Amino acid sequence: NTGFERNDVNFKMKWVPKSELPQIVTVKAGWADEDSAETYLGLTDQDFGENPDRRYVASQLDGFDTEHRLLHVNYGVEVSDQLTFNAKAYYNEYERAWNKFDGFLSGTPAQRVLADPNLYVAQYEILTGIRDSSGAEAQTVDVTNNDREFTSYGLQGGASLAHQLGGFTQNFQVGLRFHHDEVEREHRQRGYLMQGGRLVYDGIERQNKVTNMGETDAVSVYVANDVELGSATVTLGVRYEDIDGRLRNFLADTESGNDQQEWMPSISFLYELNDSFSLLGGVHKGLSPSGPGATDVAAEESINYELGGRLQREHFFGEAIAFFSDYSNLLGRCRVSDFGCQAGEEFSGGEVEIKGVEALVGIAQTLSSGAELDARLTYTFTDSEFKESFLSTFSQFGIVAAGDELPYLPKHIASVSVSLDFENYSGGIAFKHTSKMREEPGSGSISSGVFAEAQNQTDLHVRRSFGESTYLQLMVRNLTDEREIVAHRPFGARPSLPRTVILKIEHRLGG
């Protein structure tokens, strides 16, 4: 069984009261659910080549059920031409239960079985349903229900003040946010025997893999100021985060916590050389905090640099921006599908550098017929490097030598698109290429290790408007139905999106 059912209902209301000061209140409420026969279980490369949409029978019990509820309220007021305030309150609930194949109860991890099925014949034949399980745990299929409930809520506010100081035009901004989020996890494991191509429960009660609760309280404050200095605009800013996390492990009857504080300054500039060309650049500190309860792994920190230029001349436009990210500590986090580690456990990848360039060229022109033409070409080159050698039990790091490239980071991404708008009609076509990428650290030829294949995708869209409030749109994604391996994790080769046709009708109510 494959496929899914999904419902997504949103209600959004705006109210603009008749008052002396311009004000607006926006309320958004939403509900969504999903019931899909989704799985982590992929294929061997040989089976993928024969049929990328094949599903092994060991995934027959896999099902993903979710429900999401949200309520957001936003208020904005313009006190004067120079001063504005904005405040937002938000609340989200998300529940998900994913009953899925998670390997075998003992023995060889499923990743290795699918990487070399000729070496692990018995396990491969159990996955495909052509062999019955012997009853040993090494041939007993692990089906785990990852049941989780997430809740987040908070209140944030900000102000913006445009003013003159010292003869310079400035825009001062300040913001404050109080945030809370929590998650309750109960990962229930059951053993199943493959019998006649069906999974049969072995009747043995087993302890949960995970039963815990993590929660975090965070306070965030930022201050920024834009200063116009002739043809240049300089932005100075700083952000402060105070993150207090706690994790209660009910299986081990333990509780841990951590408190992280960090200042993140930034500076950027935009300099207009003339009406057509401008320079831009910036330096920013980045942070990815460690999870609640992590006591022996530092947060991920980086310094990020960018420098480039933009050109706009008549119908032609373009830009090129070089970037460099210097990580003092790259953070890796164990997922439930990783082997050799505990879910949520964090690992340090040490110092890492990522650098590259992004480029864009295009034209935007009105043709003699009155149609609007937009054509553009984009390209991104990315290079990465671990700066230290180390050995990690985290499967996505493993054995790392200084100079190795990072996994899951393609060197080349390019796209070209052309679109036309004419009266009530519009349409376009886009092509995107992503080069093959490593799925494990390494250097030299990518093909010598585990890698995801190069991706080529062509998308098409046409649209017909009926007045100002209604339109009909047809979209075709992956027009040529190219099917390639996008990843070998968690368990085996996974395919790219098949040809997908989407019909969309939209009607906007009110003025």
Side-chain angles (χ1 to χ4, degrees), residues 199-429:
L199 289 175
V200 180
Y201 177 45
D202 66 2
I204 301 175
E205 293 290 332
R206 291 179 171 84
Q207 185 182 32
N208 287 352
K209 289 183 178 179
V210 176
T211 306
N212 64 27
M213 178 179 179
E215 57 181 335
T216 297
D217 292 300
V219 178
S220 176
V221 182
Y222 78 88
V223 176
N225 194 30
D226 301 328
V227 184
E228 295 184 10
L229 305 171
S231 298
T233 300
V234 178
T235 300
L236 298 170
V238 63
R239 183 183 186 91
Y240 173 74
E241 295 275 1
D242 188 337
I243 305 169
D244 183 16
R246 298 164 297 282
L247 179 67
R248 290 188 285 275
N249 186 331
F250 298 109
L251 294 179
D253 194 22
T254 60
E255 182 172 346
S256 57
N258 57 3
D259 191 6
Q260 304 171 75
Q261 297 93 23
E262 193 66 46
W263 292 92
M264 289 163 283
S266 71
I267 180 172
S268 61
F269 74 90
L270 176 67
Y271 181 68
E272 297 180 357
L273 293 174
N274 51 50
D275 292 340
S276 301
F277 188 71
S278 59
L279 296 174
L280 60 93
V283 182
H284 315 272
K285 182 174 182 179
L287 172 74
S288 180
S290 55
T295 57
D296 56 352
V297 178
E300 178 179 282
E301 297 185 17
S302 62
I303 304 296
N304 307 284
Y305 309 83
E306 60 181 356
L307 180 64
R310 291 193 178 119
L311 176 66
Q312 177 74 57
R313 179 172 294 174
E314 295 181 345
H315 309 301
F316 177 81
F317 58 90
E319 68 177 43
I321 301 175
F323 59 89
F324 176 73
S325 295
D326 186 4
Y327 288 82
S328 59
N329 178 47
L330 183 72
L331 200 62
R333 183 171 291 116
C334 179
R335 307 297 183 183
V336 293
S337 58
D338 292 311
F339 63 93
C341 57
Q342 296 294 320
E345 187 178 359
E346 294 176 326
F347 300 86
S348 172
E351 297 181 15
V352 168
E353 292 181 357
I354 300 176
K355 54 184 177 294
V357 63
E358 297 177 338
L360 162 69
V361 293
I363 57 172
Q365 185 174 1
T366 301
L367 305 179
S368 58
S369 62
E372 299 285 342
L373 169 68
D374 185 283
R376 59 186 63 201
L377 170 67
T378 65
Y379 172 72
T380 302
F381 170 79
T382 307
D383 187 42
S384 62
E385 181 181 2
F386 284 96
K387 305 300 292 184
E388 305 171 47
S389 300
F390 61 92
L391 174 63
S392 175
T393 57
F394 183 43
S395 61
Q396 294 191 38
F397 289 159
I399 302 175
V400 177
D404 280 352
E405 296 176 340
L406 272 69
Y408 297 105
L409 198 59
K411 274 186 176 291
H412 308 282
I413 300 177
S415 67
V416 58
S417 65
V418 179
S419 64
L420 279 172
D421 290 338
F422 181 69
E423 296 182 348
N424 295 326
Y425 297 89
S426 65
I429 188 169

Side-chain angles (χ1 to χ4, degrees), residues 14-267:
K14 289 184 179 181
W15 176 50
V16 182
K18 295 180 179 180
S19 59
E20 182 178 348
L21 296 177
Q23 302 177 72
I24 185 170
V25 178
T26 305
V27 179
K28 180 181 179 180
W31 170 86
D33 73 345
E34 178 179 335
D35 183 2
S36 60
E38 189 53 79
T39 181
Y40 270 164
L41 183 56
L43 304 169
T44 67
D45 284 10
Q46 180 177 342
D47 289 341
F48 184 96
E50 296 174 358
N51 178 10
D53 294 320
R54 178 180 176 182
R55 283 278 292 266
Y56 296 147
V57 296
S59 69
Q60 63 190 244
L61 300 179
D62 290 17
F64 184 70
D65 296 314
T66 72
E67 186 170 356
H68 181 207
R69 295 170 294 275
L70 66 87
L71 178 63
H72 298 172
V73 180
N74 193 85
Y75 170 74
V77 58
E78 186 177 313
V79 179
S80 67
D81 292 340
Q82 293 77 35
L83 181 61
T84 60
F85 288 97
N86 183 268
K88 181 177 183 178
Y90 56 91
Y91 182 85
N92 297 278
E93 287 184 348
Y94 181 72
E95 301 166 1
R96 50 149 282 186
W98 195 350
N99 195 67
K100 61 181 179 60
F101 169 89
D102 208 26
F104 297 94
L105 291 183
S106 69
T108 307
Q111 294 94 324
R112 293 177 182 166
V113 173
L114 294 170
D116 194 350
N118 294 324
L119 185 61
Y120 305 103
V121 175
Q123 288 88 345
Y124 171 73
E125 291 182 347
I126 289 171
L127 292 180
T128 57
I130 63 176
R131 176 190 290 226
D132 288 348
S133 301
S134 66
E137 288 204 339
Q139 294 188 15
T140 301
V141 176
D142 176 358
V143 178
T144 297
N145 191 318
N146 290 345
D147 194 351
R148 305 176 190 175
E149 296 182 6
F150 300 86
T151 304
S152 64
Y153 53 85
L155 181 66
Q156 64 187 44
S160 177
L161 174 65
H163 63 107
Q164 294 281 336
L165 183 64
F168 300 110
T169 300
Q170 304 190 43
N171 184 28
F172 179 77
Q173 304 155 59
V174 62
L176 172 67
R177 179 174 66 194
F178 300 94
H179 174 85
H180 174 87
D181 60 53
E182 61 187 55
V183 55
E184 296 183 41
R185 302 181 182 92
E186 185 179 6
H187 298 175
R188 300 182 294 273
Q189 182 188 54
R190 299 183 74 174
Y192 287 83
L193 303 176
M194 184 65 70
Q195 302 289 342
R198 305 296 300 175
L199 289 175
V200 180
Y201 177 45
D202 66 2
I204 301 175
E205 293 290 332
R206 291 179 171 84
Q207 185 182 32
N208 287 352
K209 289 183 178 179
V210 176
T211 306
N212 64 27
M213 178 179 179
E215 57 181 335
T216 297
D217 292 300
V219 178
S220 176
V221 182
Y222 78 88
V223 176
N225 194 30
D226 301 328
V227 184
E228 295 184 10
L229 305 171
S231 298
T233 300
V234 178
T235 300
L236 298 170
V238 63
R239 183 183 186 91
Y240 173 74
E241 295 275 1
D242 188 337
I243 305 169
D244 183 16
R246 298 164 297 282
L247 179 67
R248 290 188 285 275
N249 186 331
F250 298 109
L251 294 179
D253 194 22
T254 60
E255 182 172 346
S256 57
N258 57 3
D259 191 6
Q260 304 171 75
Q261 297 93 23
E262 193 66 46
W263 292 92
M264 289 163 283
S266 71
I267 180 172

Side-chain angles (χ1 to χ4, degrees), residues 490-511:
F491 307 131
R494 306 295 297 272
S496 55
L497 179 80
R499 181 188 295 119
T500 303
V501 180
I502 303 170
L503 180 64
K504 181 178 181 179
I505 302 172
E506 181 168 320
H507 177 72
R508 298 181 182 274
L509 300 175

